Amino acid sequence: MITEEATRVAPVPAPPHPAPDRPRRRRSRAWDEAPRWQIYVPLSVYLLFTLVPFYWILLFALRRPGSTSLVPWPVTFEHFEKVWNEREFGVYFQNSVLTGVATLLLTTLVALAGGYALARFEFRIKRGFMIALLCTQFVPGALLLVPLFQIFAELRMINSLASVIIAETVFQLPLSMILISGFIRNVPYSLEEAAWVDGCNRFTGFRIVVLPLLRPGLIAVGSFAFVHAWNHFLFALMFLSDQSKQTIPVGLNTLMSADSVDLGALAAGGIIAAVPVVIVFAFIQKWLITGFSAGAVKG
Amino acid sequence: MAQAAAVAKPPAPPRRRRASTAPHRLPYLLIAPAALLMLGFIAYPVISVFYYSLQDYNPTKPWRNGFAGFDNFVHAFTEDPQFWDTLTFSAQWVVVEVGLQLLFGLALALIVNQTFVGRALGRALVFSPWAVSGVLTSVIWVLLYNSQTGITRYLADMGIGSYGTSWLSDPSTVFPAAIVADLWRGVPFFAILILADLQSVSKDLYEAAEVDGASRIKQFWHITLPHLKDAIVLSTLLRAVWEFNNVDLLYTLTNGGPAGETTTLPLYIANTSVDAHNFGYASALTTVAFLILLVCSMVYLRLSKFGGGGK
């Protein structure tokens, strides 16, 4: 603390006598140095609100059926076994992974191409295209279920994961493209031009010079797409009628709307649903915030 | 690295770039995949929704299908009390939910933007519900609100609430109960976006303000808030649209109940189309919802002078 104060004041060339009568700053706290209790008290309250629900689901998933103890001890994994094997969460899990990864790759690739065009070129329909991208944000995906269903039925893609992957990708694309074009604009054009002078063509120049700098942004966008596809519920519910094609959120909904709800199984299923997302989230958290501050709101 | 390499090499001999024709087509080629996907799976469905909104279209009653003019809209606005109920509830839901999320999100972002011991862990923990889906949020809160084994039972032991019915099946408690469940997941969204923008505020501004003797509250009003304005305006709009459209949470948490108490317009539309097969009417309602969103967003962006009135 004290040293920080010192360094902040130090650069100002001090008069030979640090005159005691000089108006001293009465409150010398910087913005990011609020009193400790102003940080820890509200944060603790909020942490409680955040963590109790997580604890509750762990409790139900880990304690034995019929137990009302508030501590999940002795721990049992029978709920997980049951959900994974009898309730086919193993199958749902695979389907969800497939959907999530495919959506991630497709979204990132298509948005990267489009985002590059928007960032680096002037072309006739650019403005119209940008407006169209923004307008899609007002189009409620859930409300387009019926026409989308008809389209996928025409294409004979009902009951195939491809329909869900396409639908998820399409609704991720506009925002991803806006974000990525923002990230690319942050990379100085002169870097690319220098690469061309060295004999790269546009593609290799992009790959060697721009792409590495985009990594944080791409990770943010890609994981966004993955998390969305992993979590989203309605497209899978509507387009996949075959139970063996279903994804995890639909499986959870089935558990929840069963006549007699098995709370332990429900909790275990919820944890299975959360694990990949939590892992992704833990990895990207750092990049997420820098990624956003780089491109998101500034455009 | 790349920059250094570029500098190190001697300048390449002047070389005609094959730039004359390629850039002409290249941007179009690059946006083509995205444009085609969006045309096929957003634009076309939107147009077909507009088209069906003027039709009587119900696969289970084919004899009545045909052009209906504006009948569907007239019916919604004059004869369907449920439409008005769901619309009012949607408005309540969005205003209360997004307002509280913004308030708490801003506070949370300001807190975790400070330097303190355990900040990284604290951030990760308080942001973690953001990653949780609507369905999983429902699962968690169904467990918490369960009247037999949920936390509400333990709260009742302490004199908060009462035994018996779940908070989700009692019409007098279902709204706040659903709001709290959605706050749990929604506050981190705002906090993350606002935090991202907070980090780009120049420290010099605060130091200058401090030298001038501005209190921390004044600093907040005159430096932090103006800086965050665009981020707040945009994230509020996105979140409001999203909260309006999202059906995952309420569909699984309450399924619109009890007694239609928590049915939003999109939920009503989903029920009308998927369960009742009344596609024409559902399309008309969708059109109305879309127009409401569009008008509200325009008004909102105009009122908030997004982008500071510049370009």
Coordinates of all heavy atoms in Angstrom, one line a residue, chain A residues 50-113:
Chain A
T50 N -24.5 -16.9 -5.3 CA -24.0 -17.7 -6.4 C -23.8 -19.2 -6.1 O -24.2 -20.0 -6.9 CB -22.7 -17.1 -6.9 OG1 -22.9 -15.7 -7.2 CG2 -22.2 -17.8 -8.2
L51 N -23.2 -19.4 -4.9 CA -22.7 -20.7 -4.6 C -23.7 -21.7 -4.0 O -23.7 -22.9 -4.2 CB -21.4 -20.7 -3.8 CG -20.3 -20.0 -4.5 CD1 -19.0 -20.0 -3.6 CD2 -20.0 -20.6 -5.8
V52 N -24.7 -21.1 -3.2 CA -25.6 -22.0 -2.5 C -26.4 -22.9 -3.6 O -26.5 -24.1 -3.4 CB -26.6 -21.2 -1.6 CG1 -27.8 -22.0 -1.3 CG2 -25.9 -20.8 -0.4
P53 N -26.9 -22.3 -4.7 CA -27.5 -23.1 -5.7 C -26.6 -24.2 -6.2 O -27.1 -25.4 -6.4 CB -27.9 -22.2 -6.8 CG -28.1 -20.9 -6.1 CD -27.0 -20.9 -5.0
F54 N -25.4 -23.9 -6.4 CA -24.4 -25.0 -6.9 C -24.3 -26.0 -5.8 O -24.3 -27.2 -6.2 CB -23.1 -24.4 -7.2 CG -23.0 -23.7 -8.5 CD1 -22.5 -22.4 -8.6 CD2 -23.4 -24.3 -9.7 CE1 -22.4 -21.7 -9.9 CE2 -23.4 -23.7 -10.9 CZ -22.9 -22.4 -11.0
Y55 N -24.2 -25.6 -4.6 CA -24.0 -26.6 -3.5 C -25.3 -27.5 -3.5 O -25.2 -28.7 -3.3 CB -23.8 -25.9 -2.2 CG -23.7 -26.9 -1.0 CD1 -22.5 -27.6 -0.9 CD2 -24.7 -27.1 -0.1 CE1 -22.4 -28.5 0.1 CE2 -24.6 -28.0 0.9 CZ -23.4 -28.7 1.0 OH -23.3 -29.6 2.0
W56 N -26.4 -26.9 -3.7 CA -27.7 -27.6 -3.5 C -27.7 -28.7 -4.6 O -28.1 -29.8 -4.3 CB -28.8 -26.6 -3.7 CG -30.0 -27.1 -2.9 CD1 -31.2 -27.6 -3.3 CD2 -30.1 -26.9 -1.4 NE1 -32.0 -27.9 -2.2 CE2 -31.4 -27.5 -1.1 CE3 -29.3 -26.5 -0.4 CZ2 -31.8 -27.5 0.2 CZ3 -29.7 -26.5 0.9 CH2 -31.0 -27.0 1.2
I57 N -27.3 -28.4 -5.8 CA -27.4 -29.5 -6.8 C -26.4 -30.6 -6.6 O -26.6 -31.7 -6.8 CB -27.3 -28.8 -8.2 CG1 -27.7 -29.8 -9.3 CG2 -25.9 -28.3 -8.5 CD1 -27.7 -29.3 -10.7
L58 N -25.2 -30.2 -6.1 CA -24.2 -31.2 -5.7 C -24.7 -32.1 -4.6 O -24.6 -33.3 -4.6 CB -22.9 -30.5 -5.2 CG -21.8 -30.2 -6.2 CD1 -20.7 -29.5 -5.5 CD2 -21.4 -31.5 -6.8
L59 N -25.4 -31.4 -3.6 CA -25.9 -32.2 -2.5 C -26.9 -33.2 -3.0 O -26.8 -34.4 -2.6 CB -26.7 -31.2 -1.6 CG -27.3 -31.6 -0.3 CD1 -26.3 -32.1 0.7 CD2 -28.2 -30.5 0.3
F60 N -27.8 -32.8 -3.8 CA -28.8 -33.8 -4.3 C -28.2 -34.9 -5.2 O -28.7 -36.0 -5.2 CB -29.9 -33.1 -5.1 CG -31.0 -32.5 -4.3 CD1 -30.8 -31.4 -3.6 CD2 -32.2 -33.2 -4.2 CE1 -31.8 -30.8 -2.8 CE2 -33.2 -32.6 -3.4 CZ -33.0 -31.5 -2.7
A61 N -27.1 -34.5 -5.9 CA -26.5 -35.5 -6.8 C -25.7 -36.5 -6.0 O -25.6 -37.7 -6.4 CB -25.7 -34.8 -7.8
L62 N -25.1 -36.1 -4.9 CA -24.1 -37.0 -4.2 C -24.7 -37.7 -3.0 O -24.1 -38.7 -2.6 CB -22.9 -36.1 -3.8 CG -22.1 -35.6 -4.9 CD1 -20.9 -34.7 -4.4 CD2 -21.5 -36.7 -5.8
R63 N -25.8 -37.2 -2.4 CA -26.2 -38.0 -1.2 C -27.1 -39.1 -1.6 O -27.7 -39.1 -2.7 CB -26.8 -37.0 -0.2 CG -28.2 -36.5 -0.6 CD -28.7 -35.5 0.4 NE -30.0 -35.0 -0.1 CZ -30.7 -34.0 0.5 NH1 -30.1 -33.3 1.5 NH2 -31.8 -33.6 0.0
R64 N -27.3 -40.0 -0.6 CA -28.1 -41.2 -0.9 C -29.5 -40.8 -1.1 O -30.0 -39.9 -0.4 CB -27.9 -42.2 0.2 CG -26.6 -43.0 -0.1 CD -26.5 -44.1 0.9 NE -26.6 -43.6 2.3 CZ -26.1 -44.2 3.4 NH1 -25.6 -45.3 3.2 NH2 -26.3 -43.7 4.6
P65 N -30.3 -41.6 -1.9 CA -31.7 -41.3 -2.1 C -32.4 -41.4 -0.7 O -32.1 -42.3 0.1 CB -32.2 -42.4 -3.0 CG -31.0 -43.3 -3.3 CD -29.8 -42.7 -2.7
G66 N -33.3 -40.5 -0.5 CA -34.1 -40.5 0.8 C -33.4 -39.7 1.9 O -34.1 -39.4 2.9
S67 N -32.1 -39.4 1.8 CA -31.4 -38.7 2.8 C -31.9 -37.2 2.8 O -32.1 -36.7 1.8 CB -29.9 -38.8 2.6 OG -29.3 -37.7 3.3
T68 N -32.0 -36.6 4.0 CA -32.3 -35.2 4.0 C -31.1 -34.4 4.7 O -31.3 -33.3 5.0 CB -33.6 -35.0 4.9 OG1 -33.4 -35.6 6.1 CG2 -34.8 -35.5 4.2
S69 N -30.0 -35.1 4.8 CA -28.9 -34.4 5.4 C -28.4 -33.2 4.6 O -28.6 -33.3 3.3 CB -27.7 -35.4 5.6 OG -26.5 -34.8 5.5
L70 N -27.9 -32.2 5.2 CA -27.4 -31.1 4.4 C -25.9 -31.3 4.0 O -25.3 -30.4 3.4 CB -27.5 -29.8 5.3 CG -29.0 -29.2 5.3 CD1 -29.0 -27.9 6.1 CD2 -29.5 -29.0 3.9
V71 N -25.3 -32.4 4.4 CA -24.0 -32.7 4.0 C -24.1 -34.0 3.2 O -24.6 -35.0 3.6 CB -23.1 -32.9 5.2 CG1 -21.6 -33.1 4.7 CG2 -23.1 -31.7 6.1
P72 N -23.5 -34.0 2.0 CA -23.6 -35.2 1.1 C -22.6 -36.3 1.6 O -21.6 -36.5 0.9 CB -23.3 -34.7 -0.3 CG -22.5 -33.5 -0.1 CD -22.9 -32.9 1.3
W73 N -22.9 -36.9 2.7 CA -21.9 -37.9 3.2 C -22.7 -39.0 3.8 O -23.6 -38.8 4.6 CB -21.0 -37.2 4.3 CG -19.8 -38.1 4.6 CD1 -19.7 -38.9 5.6 CD2 -18.7 -38.2 3.8 NE1 -18.5 -39.6 5.5 CE2 -17.9 -39.2 4.4 CE3 -18.3 -37.6 2.6 CZ2 -16.6 -39.6 3.9 CZ3 -17.0 -38.0 2.1 CH2 -16.2 -38.9 2.7
P74 N -22.4 -40.3 3.5 CA -21.4 -40.7 2.6 C -21.8 -40.4 1.2 O -22.9 -40.5 0.8 CB -21.3 -42.2 2.9 CG -22.6 -42.6 3.4 CD -23.1 -41.4 4.2
V75 N -20.8 -40.1 0.4 CA -21.0 -39.8 -1.0 C -21.4 -41.1 -1.8 O -20.9 -42.1 -1.6 CB -19.7 -39.2 -1.6 CG1 -19.8 -39.1 -3.2 CG2 -19.4 -37.9 -1.0
T76 N -22.4 -40.9 -2.7 CA -22.8 -42.0 -3.5 C -22.8 -41.5 -5.0 O -23.2 -40.4 -5.2 CB -24.1 -42.6 -3.2 OG1 -24.5 -43.5 -4.2 CG2 -25.2 -41.5 -3.0
F77 N -22.4 -42.4 -5.9 CA -22.5 -42.0 -7.3 C -23.6 -42.7 -8.1 O -23.6 -42.7 -9.3 CB -21.1 -42.3 -8.0 CG -20.1 -41.3 -7.5 CD1 -19.1 -41.7 -6.6 CD2 -20.0 -40.0 -8.0 CE1 -18.2 -40.8 -6.1 CE2 -19.0 -39.1 -7.6 CZ -18.1 -39.6 -6.6
E78 N -24.5 -43.3 -7.3 CA -25.5 -44.1 -8.0 C -26.4 -43.3 -8.9 O -26.9 -43.8 -9.9 CB -26.3 -44.9 -6.9 CG -27.1 -44.1 -5.9 CD -27.8 -45.0 -5.0 OE1 -28.9 -45.6 -5.4 OE2 -27.4 -45.2 -3.8
H79 N -26.7 -42.0 -8.5 CA -27.5 -41.2 -9.3 C -26.8 -41.0 -10.7 O -27.5 -41.0 -11.7 CB -27.7 -39.8 -8.7 CG -28.5 -39.9 -7.4 ND1 -29.7 -40.5 -7.3 CD2 -28.2 -39.4 -6.1 CE1 -30.1 -40.4 -6.0 NE2 -29.2 -39.8 -5.3
F80 N -25.5 -40.8 -10.7 CA -24.8 -40.6 -11.9 C -24.9 -41.8 -12.8 O -25.2 -41.7 -14.0 CB -23.4 -40.2 -11.6 CG -23.2 -38.8 -11.1 CD1 -23.1 -38.6 -9.8 CD2 -23.1 -37.7 -12.0 CE1 -23.0 -37.3 -9.3 CE2 -23.0 -36.4 -11.5 CZ -22.9 -36.2 -10.2
E81 N -24.6 -43.0 -12.1 CA -24.7 -44.2 -12.9 C -26.1 -44.4 -13.6 O -26.2 -44.7 -14.7 CB -24.4 -45.4 -12.0 CG -22.9 -45.6 -11.7 CD -22.7 -46.5 -10.6 OE1 -23.5 -47.4 -10.4 OE2 -21.7 -46.3 -9.8
K82 N -27.1 -44.1 -12.7 CA -28.4 -44.3 -13.2 C -28.7 -43.4 -14.4 O -29.2 -43.9 -15.4 CB -29.4 -44.0 -12.1 CG -30.8 -44.3 -12.4 CD -31.6 -44.2 -11.1 CE -33.1 -44.2 -11.4 NZ -33.9 -43.7 -10.3
V83 N -28.4 -42.1 -14.2 CA -28.7 -41.2 -15.3 C -27.9 -41.5 -16.6 O -28.4 -41.4 -17.7 CB -28.4 -39.7 -14.8 CG1 -28.2 -38.8 -16.0 CG2 -29.4 -39.3 -13.9
W84 N -26.6 -41.8 -16.4 CA -25.7 -42.1 -17.5 C -26.2 -43.3 -18.3 O -26.2 -43.3 -19.5 CB -24.3 -42.2 -17.0 CG -23.3 -42.2 -18.2 CD1 -22.8 -43.3 -18.8 CD2 -22.7 -41.1 -18.8 NE1 -21.9 -42.9 -19.7 CE2 -21.8 -41.6 -19.8 CE3 -22.9 -39.7 -18.6 CZ2 -21.1 -40.7 -20.6 CZ3 -22.1 -38.9 -19.4 CH2 -21.3 -39.4 -20.4
N85 N -26.5 -44.4 -17.6 CA -26.9 -45.6 -18.2 C -28.3 -45.8 -18.5 O -28.7 -46.0 -19.7 CB -26.4 -46.8 -17.4 CG -24.9 -46.8 -17.2 OD1 -24.2 -46.4 -18.2 ND2 -24.4 -47.2 -16.1
E86 N -29.2 -45.7 -17.5 CA -30.6 -45.9 -17.7 C -31.3 -44.8 -18.5 O -32.2 -45.0 -19.3 CB -31.3 -46.2 -16.4 CG -31.0 -47.5 -15.7 CD -31.5 -47.5 -14.3 OE1 -32.6 -47.0 -14.1 OE2 -30.8 -48.1 -13.4
R87 N -30.9 -43.6 -18.1 CA -31.5 -42.4 -18.8 C -30.8 -42.0 -20.0 O -31.1 -40.9 -20.5 CB -31.6 -41.3 -17.8 CG -32.4 -41.6 -16.5 CD -33.8 -41.9 -16.8 NE -34.6 -41.8 -15.6 CZ -35.9 -41.4 -15.5 NH1 -36.4 -40.9 -16.6 NH2 -36.5 -41.4 -14.4
E88 N -29.9 -42.7 -20.5 CA -29.2 -42.5 -21.7 C -28.5 -41.2 -21.8 O -28.3 -40.6 -22.9 CB -30.2 -42.6 -22.9 CG -31.0 -43.9 -22.9 CD -31.4 -44.3 -24.2 OE1 -30.5 -44.3 -25.1 OE2 -32.5 -44.7 -24.4
F89 N -28.0 -40.6 -20.7 CA -27.3 -39.4 -20.7 C -26.0 -39.6 -21.4 O -25.4 -38.6 -22.0 CB -27.1 -38.8 -19.3 CG -28.1 -37.8 -19.0 CD1 -29.5 -38.2 -19.0 CD2 -27.8 -36.5 -18.7 CE1 -30.5 -37.2 -18.7 CE2 -28.8 -35.5 -18.4 CZ -30.1 -35.9 -18.4
G90 N -25.4 -40.8 -21.4 CA -24.2 -41.1 -22.2 C -24.4 -40.7 -23.7 O -23.6 -40.1 -24.3
V91 N -25.6 -41.2 -24.2 CA -25.9 -40.9 -25.6 C -26.1 -39.4 -25.8 O -25.6 -38.8 -26.8 CB -27.1 -41.7 -26.0 CG1 -27.5 -41.4 -27.5 CG2 -26.9 -43.2 -25.8
Y92 N -26.9 -38.8 -24.9 CA -27.2 -37.4 -25.0 C -25.9 -36.6 -25.0 O -25.7 -35.6 -25.7 CB -28.0 -36.9 -23.9 CG -29.4 -37.5 -23.8 CD1 -30.1 -37.5 -22.6 CD2 -30.0 -38.1 -24.9 CE1 -31.3 -38.1 -22.4 CE2 -31.3 -38.6 -24.8 CZ -31.9 -38.6 -23.6 OH -33.2 -39.2 -23.4
F93 N -25.0 -37.0 -24.1 CA -23.7 -36.3 -24.0 C -22.9 -36.3 -25.3 O -22.5 -35.3 -25.7 CB -22.9 -37.0 -22.9 CG -21.7 -36.2 -22.4 CD1 -21.9 -35.3 -21.4 CD2 -20.5 -36.4 -22.9 CE1 -20.8 -34.6 -20.9 CE2 -19.4 -35.6 -22.5 CZ -19.6 -34.7 -21.5
Q94 N -22.8 -37.5 -25.9 CA -22.2 -37.5 -27.2 C -22.8 -36.6 -28.2 O -22.1 -35.9 -28.9 CB -22.3 -39.0 -27.8 CG -21.2 -39.9 -27.3 CD -21.4 -41.3 -27.9 OE1 -22.2 -41.5 -28.8 NE2 -20.7 -42.2 -27.4
N95 N -24.1 -36.6 -28.3 CA -24.8 -35.8 -29.3 C -24.6 -34.3 -29.0 O -24.3 -33.5 -29.9 CB -26.4 -36.0 -29.2 CG -26.7 -37.4 -29.7 OD1 -26.0 -38.0 -30.5 ND2 -27.8 -37.9 -29.2
S96 N -24.5 -34.0 -27.7 CA -24.3 -32.6 -27.3 C -22.9 -32.2 -27.7 O -22.7 -31.0 -28.2 CB -24.5 -32.3 -25.8 OG -25.9 -32.2 -25.6
V97 N -21.9 -33.0 -27.4 CA -20.5 -32.7 -27.8 C -20.4 -32.5 -29.3 O -19.8 -31.5 -29.8 CB -19.6 -33.8 -27.4 CG1 -18.2 -33.6 -28.0 CG2 -19.5 -33.9 -25.8
L98 N -21.0 -33.4 -30.1 CA -21.0 -33.3 -31.5 C -21.6 -32.0 -32.0 O -21.0 -31.2 -32.8 CB -21.7 -34.5 -32.1 CG -21.4 -34.8 -33.5 CD1 -20.0 -35.3 -33.6 CD2 -22.3 -35.9 -34.1
T99 N -22.8 -31.7 -31.5 CA -23.4 -30.4 -31.8 C -22.6 -29.2 -31.5 O -22.4 -28.3 -32.3 CB -24.8 -30.3 -31.1 OG1 -25.5 -31.6 -31.3 CG2 -25.6 -29.2 -31.7
G100 N -22.1 -29.2 -30.2 CA -21.3 -28.1 -29.8 C -20.1 -27.8 -30.6 O -19.8 -26.7 -31.0
V101 N -19.3 -28.9 -30.8 CA -18.0 -28.8 -31.5 C -18.3 -28.4 -33.0 O -17.6 -27.5 -33.5 CB -17.2 -30.1 -31.4 CG1 -16.0 -30.0 -32.4 CG2 -16.8 -30.3 -30.0
A102 N -19.3 -29.0 -33.6 CA -19.6 -28.7 -35.0 C -20.0 -27.2 -35.1 O -19.6 -26.5 -36.0 CB -20.6 -29.6 -35.6
T103 N -20.9 -26.8 -34.2 CA -21.3 -25.4 -34.2 C -20.2 -24.4 -34.0 O -20.0 -23.4 -34.7 CB -22.4 -25.1 -33.1 OG1 -23.4 -26.1 -33.3 CG2 -22.9 -23.7 -33.2
L104 N -19.3 -24.8 -33.1 CA -18.1 -23.9 -32.8 C -17.3 -23.8 -34.1 O -16.9 -22.7 -34.5 CB -17.3 -24.6 -31.7 CG -16.0 -24.0 -31.2 CD1 -15.6 -24.6 -29.9 CD2 -14.8 -24.2 -32.1
L105 N -16.9 -24.9 -34.8 CA -16.1 -24.9 -35.9 C -16.7 -24.1 -37.1 O -16.2 -23.2 -37.7 CB -15.7 -26.3 -36.4 CG -14.8 -27.1 -35.4 CD1 -14.6 -28.5 -35.9 CD2 -13.5 -26.3 -35.3
L106 N -18.0 -24.4 -37.3 CA -18.7 -23.8 -38.4 C -18.9 -22.3 -38.2 O -18.6 -21.5 -39.1 CB -20.1 -24.5 -38.6 CG -20.8 -24.4 -39.9 CD1 -19.9 -25.0 -41.0 CD2 -22.1 -25.1 -39.9
T107 N -19.3 -21.9 -37.0 CA -19.5 -20.5 -36.7 C -18.2 -19.7 -36.9 O -18.1 -18.7 -37.5 CB -20.0 -20.3 -35.3 OG1 -21.2 -21.1 -35.1 CG2 -20.3 -18.9 -35.0
T108 N -17.1 -20.3 -36.3 CA -15.9 -19.5 -36.3 C -15.4 -19.4 -37.7 O -14.9 -18.3 -38.1 CB -14.8 -20.3 -35.4 OG1 -15.4 -20.8 -34.3 CG2 -13.7 -19.3 -35.0
L109 N -15.4 -20.4 -38.5 CA -14.9 -20.4 -39.8 C -15.7 -19.4 -40.7 O -15.1 -18.5 -41.3 CB -15.0 -21.8 -40.4 CG -13.9 -22.2 -41.4 CD1 -12.6 -22.3 -40.6 CD2 -14.2 -23.5 -42.0
V110 N -17.0 -19.6 -40.7 CA -17.8 -18.7 -41.5 C -17.7 -17.2 -41.1 O -17.6 -16.3 -41.9 CB -19.3 -19.2 -41.5 CG1 -20.1 -18.2 -42.3 CG2 -19.4 -20.6 -42.1
A111 N -17.7 -17.0 -39.8 CA -17.7 -15.7 -39.2 C -16.3 -15.1 -39.5 O -16.2 -13.8 -39.7 CB -18.0 -15.7 -37.7
L112 N -15.3 -15.9 -39.5 CA -13.9 -15.4 -39.7 C -13.8 -14.8 -41.2 O -13.3 -13.7 -41.4 CB -12.9 -16.5 -39.5 CG -11.4 -16.1 -39.4 CD1 -11.2 -15.1 -38.3 CD2 -10.6 -17.3 -39.3
A113 N -14.3 -15.6 -42.1 CA -14.3 -15.1 -43.5 C -15.1 -13.9 -43.6 O -14.6 -12.8 -44.2 CB -14.9 -16.2 -44.4

